[in-house]
Amino acid sequence: MSFLNPVFKLFGRFLMLLYTSTGSYVLALVIFTVLIRLVMFPISIQSKRSMMKTQGLQGKMQQLQKQYGKDKERYNAEVQKLYEEEGINPMGGCLWSLIPLPVLWGVYAIVRRPLFFMYNLTADQVTAVQEAVEGVVGEITGSTAYIEIQVANLLNTDSSALEAAKTALGDAATKLSTTIDFNFLGINLSQTPQLKFWANGLSWNSIGLFLLPVILAAVSFLTSLVSQRTNKLNNGNGKDESNSSTDRTTRQMLIMMPLMYIWFGFIMPAGMCIYMMISCLIQIGQEMVSARLLRSRFMEAQNKKDEEERQKKLEESRKRQEKIEQRQREEEEAKKRRKKNAVNAKKKSDEGPKTDKSAIGIRRYALGRNYEPDRYGGVTPYRDPTDLVDEAALEEALAKKKKNKKNDKEEVPTETAEVVETQTTTAETEAELTSDSEPETTDSGEEES
């Protein structure tokens, strides 16, 4: 990351300024770490928000696991759909948590190379100082990555090495006007902790160096535990909705993070242990503050979402109930129709076959569907056309008909007059027929007698 060297040099000069102001390397690291964590606090809140949202979906993901657990492809598709509906990036929490890594890398570079970043020496000047110091104290052993911090420690503890370095720098010797004291409670923070702390003889320095990574691992475990507890505390419904995969991941993180930090502690200068320890302690405070700040918003949004889901379920239940009632009504109506049809069929069977007056033979509607034989008041009685007609009686009946028609024209409506006329004509005709038949009967009787 050589392209970041200008930024790292800016941080290194700021750390050197803090050391010059406080006179303590540890105190300068503490202030430096606090300021960095404050700057990254918005990032911490964003990471916390993403984690809390993801944690709040564990209940739904558990339901999807029960429904589509055997179909991995369908399960992954449903989970992705759930993330899209909720507007959550499953990698959001991880991505935000990765942002502090460049800062950690920068602090590591500043700690292990104080001559280049804190003293603001060039690469050639660093090489000149190193050669000058080795010319006085001998060859410096150990990891080549930490040669600079060992030389910086010798500049503070060995005056002859400091004079040699100033001579090698010439006009730039003013950059070494302030040397760094890495001592903290009898522990030299420029050295790297060793697992076999007894190898070079027991001393408080070797024991203290060994304890620093162990304490760092414990603080890291506490940080992970607090982070996970605050995530569960704010899952919106007060219930632990984590599933087996989440629990497994949680346990793995609780184990892996302390192991990673303890490994860092034994391969880096002890000053990095101080920085990471302080950073973890500040992170614990930020986790609790973030949880308190986000809790009300998160729970309000979660409650609103739960209420919407409850209303949606009620609406679905209402629609299902309406469908059931509609189906029941249709079944009742169908039952009534079947019962009515059965009653009608029984009545028809009881009445027997019905004669169709419009039929002729096997032709059912030969006379028309609307045929009614009694539509015009019955059939006119038959009269034999060979019978004699009494012309006098007929003329008398017609004259009477005209007279009645003339008298009733103004009183009786047209339709009524026609009916009366028809009835009168029919009556007169019958009377004539009767009168015609009577004489014949009398004559026949006389002949018989």
Side-chain angles (χ1 to χ4, degrees):
M1 289 188 176
S2 58
F3 64 93
L4 292 177
N5 284 343
V7 179
F8 294 165
K9 274 203 170 188
L10 182 62
F11 286 172
R13 294 300 296 163
F14 180 67
L15 182 59
M16 189 66 176
L17 178 62
L18 291 176
Y19 174 77
T20 305
S21 302
T22 60
S24 171
Y25 183 68
V26 172
L27 186 57
L29 279 177
V30 170
I31 297 174
F32 183 75
T33 307
V34 170
L35 293 176
I36 289 178
R37 296 299 303 189
L38 287 176
V39 172
M40 293 191 301
F41 185 58
I43 298 175
S44 176
I45 291 180
Q46 187 65 30
S47 176
K48 189 71 174 177
R49 183 182 290 110
S50 298
M51 291 180 181
M52 288 167 63
K53 286 184 178 180
T54 304
Q55 186 71 24
L57 296 180
Q58 294 305 317
K60 295 182 180 179
M61 292 182 65
Q62 192 171 6
Q63 294 178 358
L64 294 177
Q65 179 68 28
K66 291 180 181 179
Q67 293 178 356
Y68 312 107
K70 296 182 179 180
D71 189 351
K72 297 297 182 182
E73 184 176 354
R74 177 68 182 278
Y75 171 73
N76 293 331
E78 291 295 330
V79 170
Q80 185 64 30
K81 181 180 178 181
L82 177 62
Y83 283 145
E84 292 177 357
E85 291 177 353
E86 298 294 334
I88 296 176
N89 182 3
M91 299 300 295
C94 298
L95 292 175
W96 286 108
S97 62
L98 291 177
I99 292 179
L101 289 181
V103 178
L104 178 64
W105 181 264
V107 175
Y108 170 68
I110 294 170
V111 168
R112 76 180 184 90
R113 299 190 62 188
L115 297 179
F116 185 74
F117 292 108
M118 295 182 68
Y119 285 103
N120 198 26
L121 299 178
T122 63
D124 295 336
Q125 290 173 344
V126 170
T127 303
V129 169
Q130 178 182 342
E131 293 176 353
V133 171
E134 287 181 343
V136 175
V137 301
E139 184 179 359
I140 300 174
T141 60
S143 175
T144 56
Y146 307 132
I147 293 294
E148 281 194 33
I149 192 171
Q150 294 183 45
V151 171
N153 180 58
L154 289 173
L155 293 178
N156 181 68
T157 58
D158 193 332
S159 58
S160 59
L162 177 60
E163 291 299 329
K166 288 182 177 181
T167 303
L169 290 177
D171 295 337
T174 55
K175 294 182 179 181
L176 301 179
S177 57
T178 302
T179 58
I180 302 173
D181 184 5
F182 294 96
N183 184 63
F184 174 67
L185 300 178
I187 303 173
N188 191 349
L189 299 181
S190 66
Q191 297 180 2
T192 303
Q194 301 294 324
L195 283 172
K196 297 181 180 180
F197 58 92
W198 62 86
N200 298 324
L202 287 176
S203 62
W204 168 241
N205 181 61
S206 62
I207 296 173
L209 288 174
F210 174 80
L211 291 177
L212 285 177
V214 177
I215 297 173
L216 174 62
V219 174
S220 172
F221 176 82
L222 180 62
T223 303
S224 300
L225 187 63
V226 169
S227 177
Q228 292 167 4
R229 290 291 177 85
T230 51
N231 288 343
K232 291 183 179 181
L233 179 64
N234 294 276
N235 61 6
N237 53 13
K239 298 180 181 179
D240 185 4
E241 296 181 337
S242 58
N243 51 32
S244 58
S245 61
T246 304
D247 293 337
R248 185 166 54 252
T249 304
T250 299
R251 289 193 295 269
Q252 291 175 354
M253 290 298 294
L254 286 175
I255 296 173
M256 293 300 298
M257 291 301 292
L259 291 178
M260 184 179 67
Y261 272 99
I262 200 171
W263 178 65
F264 285 161
F266 279 107
I267 65 171
M268 296 181 180
M272 280 300 298
C273 290
I274 298 295
Y275 168 78
M276 290 187 290
M277 193 184 305
I278 298 168
S279 182
C280 287
L281 291 174
I282 297 174
Q283 185 178 352
I284 292 175
Q286 288 182 341
E287 289 287 338
M288 300 178 69
V289 173
S290 299
R292 185 176 295 275
L293 291 175
L294 296 174
R295 180 175 184 179
S296 58
R297 298 179 184 175
F298 183 82
M299 293 189 68
E300 182 180 353
Q302 192 68 24
N303 291 336
K304 183 178 179 181
K305 190 180 299 181
D306 293 341
E307 180 64 21
E308 291 177 354
E309 292 180 357
R310 189 180 70 83
Q311 293 295 336
K312 184 178 180 181
K313 290 180 180 179
L314 289 176
E315 183 67 18
E316 292 176 353
S317 177
R318 185 184 64 80
K319 290 181 179 180
R320 287 196 299 269
Q321 186 63 27
E322 288 180 353
K323 289 182 179 179
I324 293 173
E325 293 176 355
Q326 179 67 19
R327 190 159 50 246
Q328 290 177 350
R329 287 194 297 269
E330 292 176 355
E331 290 177 356
E332 289 292 333
E333 292 176 358
K335 187 184 295 184
K336 290 180 180 179
R337 286 196 299 270
R338 289 194 298 268
K339 186 176 180 180
K340 184 177 180 180
N341 293 336
V343 172
N344 294 335
K346 186 177 180 181
K347 286 183 178 179
K348 289 181 179 180
S349 63
D350 293 340
E351 292 175 356
K354 183 178 180 181
T355 304
D356 192 348
K357 295 181 180 181
S358 66
I360 298 178
I362 63 173
R363 295 179 295 168
R364 186 173 181 181
Y365 301 111
L367 299 179
R369 291 177 179 272
N370 297 326
Y371 175 74
E372 295 181 9
D374 299 329
R375 177 177 295 177
Y376 300 104
V379 180
T380 305
Y382 175 78
R383 189 179 65 84
D384 190 354
T386 61
D387 292 342
L388 296 177
V389 179
D390 189 353
E391 296 181 359
L394 181 59
E395 290 178 358
E396 185 179 354
L398 292 173
K400 189 183 291 184
K401 176 181 177 183
K402 291 179 180 180
K403 184 179 180 179
N404 292 335
K405 184 176 181 182
K406 184 178 181 181
N407 294 333
D408 298 337
K409 186 175 182 180
E410 297 180 356
E411 299 178 358
V412 181
T414 305
E415 294 180 358
T416 307
E418 291 177 357
V419 173
V420 173
E421 181 181 355
T422 304
Q423 292 177 353
T424 304
T425 305
T426 304
E428 291 176 353
T429 305
E430 290 178 355
E432 292 174 358
L433 292 175
T434 303
S435 62
D436 291 341
S437 61
E438 285 179 355
E440 294 178 359
T441 303
T442 306
D443 293 341
S444 62
E446 291 178 355
E447 291 177 359
E448 288 178 0
S449 59

